[in-house]
Amino acid sequence: MKSLLDPAVQNEIENRINKLSVTSNAIWGKMNVSQMFHHCQFPLKIALKKEHPEIKPNLFAKLLFKKSMYNDKPWRKNLPTHSKLKVVEQKDFETEKEELLHLVAEFSNQKDKKEWEPHPMFGKFTNKQWGQLQYKHLDHHLQQFNA
């Protein structure tokens, strides 16, 4: 499983983000590309302690979904998004793209970090699992836009 904590994978993700334009269309889902860039910032900000969403732990989600966050099986299209992480307002493409690239780099620089704060909904992740989770989420949404 790829990890965003691997410099080669970071480079791959950055290249895929840079291939998208304001006119890129989604293959599935309701978000436009600028909204997707904004949405993809949430998990990175949570890991970096820049965002503290009021999300309560969910035992059902934790038991059924947590392991799917860091395995090689792709997520299915149109998975439900927690209401606190939905993006419905219009966003500026360049602003969101630059912020996402900044957060990808900042997260990737944490490759040697040993202790992470627990995820507000899913609990504790290891360094390896955080890296895999971040890659999988970004990969899912970049595939959504054929990148």
Side-chain angles (χ1 to χ4, degrees), residues 63-126:
L63 292 173
L64 294 180
F65 191 65
K66 185 175 178 181
K67 286 184 181 178
S68 78
M69 298 176 119
Y70 48 84
N71 67 26
D72 284 321
K73 185 178 177 186
W75 290 336
R76 66 178 173 81
K77 298 172 184 171
N78 293 310
L79 281 171
T81 301
H82 193 286
S83 62
K84 302 249 186 216
L85 305 179
K86 285 185 181 182
V87 181
V88 293
E89 64 278 354
Q90 292 304 310
K91 296 291 180 180
D92 178 71
F93 177 83
E94 287 300 327
T95 301
E96 300 304 330
K97 178 181 170 182
E98 289 306 313
E99 179 64 12
L100 180 57
L101 287 168
H102 171 78
L103 290 166
V104 165
E106 187 176 349
F107 178 84
S108 296
N109 286 333
Q110 303 292 315
K111 63 182 175 287
D112 297 322
K113 188 172 182 172
K114 300 294 183 222
E115 289 293 319
W116 293 81
E117 292 292 319
H119 187 281
M121 180 181 243
F122 299 106
K124 189 165 175 59
F125 287 110
T126 65

